[in-house]
Structures are given as C-alpha cells and as structure tokens.
Amino acid sequence: MNPTVLNPTDAAYPVRLHERLATHAPDTLYIVGSPELLSQRKIGLFCSVRCPGDAILGAYDAARNLRDQGLSVVGGFHSPVEKECLRILLRGKQPIIICLARAFGRIRLPSDWRGALESGRLLLLSMFERRPPRPDKNSTAYRNECVAALSDEVLIIHATPGGEIERVSQLIEGWNIPRRKLG
C-alpha cells in the first residue's frame, strides 16, 4: 500500500489541523483513499476502552443513525465499541475517515474495508511516516488529538474519568466543537 503524501501547502491538507493544533499539527499526512473526504463536514467518534452497557447500546443506535443519515464520520476506531461502530458504518454508504495511530508500513487491510475504499468512501490517514509500526500510548494520544482537530462535531460515547478520551474531551471543549448527544 503506497500512501499519498499531503503537506500543509497542498490544497487537500486540512487547515483545521493548524488552526487547532498550531505547532503541534502534523507536518505531513499519509493517506490512502479519496482526499476529498477531508473537506467534508465530519463527526468525530470517541469511546473509552471500558464502557458501561447502556452506553454500548446507545453507541450502536447512534452509529446506525449516522449511517442512515449519510453523515461523514472520523475516528481511530480502536476501542471495542469504536470497532463495532465502524462495522455498522461500513454497511452504509456514508464517508468514513479512519485515523491510524501507526505508520502504514505493512498494514493488512481488513476485507470489510476494501469495498468502501474502492468505492471512494473510505480514507485511511496516518500522521506517522515510519514509526511506530504498532499503536502505542503516545501515538494513540496524538491520533485522538488529530481526530478531534479534524472534527466539526463530536460524539463521545463514553469517557472514563481520568482517561485519554476525557483528556481529549477537554481539548474539544476548549476548541468549542459541538457535541452530539448519545441516542
């Protein structure tokens, strides 16, 4: 898989990254898929790894609603609930941006991503050129910041107190990004 390189001077590079992250914005983005998806209105999806049962059920309903409304969704899709939401979204026709917390390297593309990628409604994005080869705590935190910075609106399914998603939700609040209600 040979990703396309986007620099801040490229028209497709999202200006919002620099507006919100300032000097912490990625110098380069590596993408596979349609760069036009970056210019669409996007809803950022977040959920902590540990999530209560009632929030899980609400998450699946919310994912179906986003899918049925054809709304673009951006996320890391790394936690179990986020992964299940991605499976629901992939059954629709709306655009999806998956932000990786690792470099592309020898990434294996899951079979359920291929159709969406080939139809032009899936974009894979990484802020990392060569390292890390696997997600780690730092790359995941940075990826989450970038997802938030790319978002026009967010849906936070659950944020564990003191956890990474709670930290990102404070950035979201500081950037005045509107939050969707679960359910």
Side-chain angles (χ1 to χ4, degrees):
M1 190 175 306
N2 293 319
T4 300
V5 176
L6 289 182
N7 294 304
T9 56
D10 294 324
Y13 187 96
V15 175
R16 255 226 180 109
L17 289 174
H18 278 286
E19 291 173 352
R20 291 183 174 156
L21 295 172
T23 58
H24 196 53
D27 292 327
T28 307
L29 297 177
Y30 304 89
I31 64 168
V32 172
S34 176
E36 292 81 27
L37 299 184
L38 290 168
S39 64
Q40 295 184 7
R41 182 171 172 74
K42 297 168 283 304
I43 297 169
L45 181 82
F46 296 93
C47 186
S48 293
V49 171
R50 290 183 184 82
C51 183
D54 59 335
I56 293 171
L57 296 176
Y60 300 162
D61 288 341
R64 280 190 284 279
N65 288 336
L66 293 171
R67 177 195 66 200
D68 295 346
Q69 293 174 31
L71 300 172
S72 297
V73 180
V74 58
F77 301 104
H78 196 81
S79 75
V81 172
E82 291 171 347
K83 285 179 183 178
E84 188 55 36
C85 287
L86 177 60
R87 281 194 266 291
I88 292 167
L89 293 168
L90 284 168
R91 292 186 206 124
K93 296 190 183 334
Q94 80 297 329
I96 303 166
I97 299 173
I98 300 174
C99 294
L100 305 173
R102 57 165 287 183
F104 273 99
R106 293 183 181 176
I107 191 169
R108 289 188 203 130
L109 195 64
S111 60
D112 57 342
W113 295 12
R114 286 191 189 111
L117 190 60
E118 290 167 3
S119 70
R121 66 182 196 89
L122 177 63
L123 175 72
L124 304 176
L125 182 149
S126 175
M127 292 68 61
F128 308 100
E129 182 178 10
R130 291 193 178 94
R131 296 197 179 280
R134 286 176 292 290
D136 60 33
K137 188 175 180 176
N138 292 332
S139 68
T140 300
Y142 187 54
R143 182 270 321 274
N144 288 341
E145 290 174 14
C146 290
V147 169
L150 287 168
S151 300
D152 297 289
E153 189 176 356
V154 296
L155 173 61
I156 298 176
I157 295 159
H158 177 73
T160 300
E164 171 59 22
I165 302 303
E166 184 179 60
R167 184 189 69 78
V168 170
S169 71
Q170 292 168 354
L171 288 175
I172 289 165
E173 189 175 309
W175 293 331
N176 296 315
I177 300 172
R179 287 179 69 161
R180 277 187 166 244
K181 300 280 186 206
L182 185 61

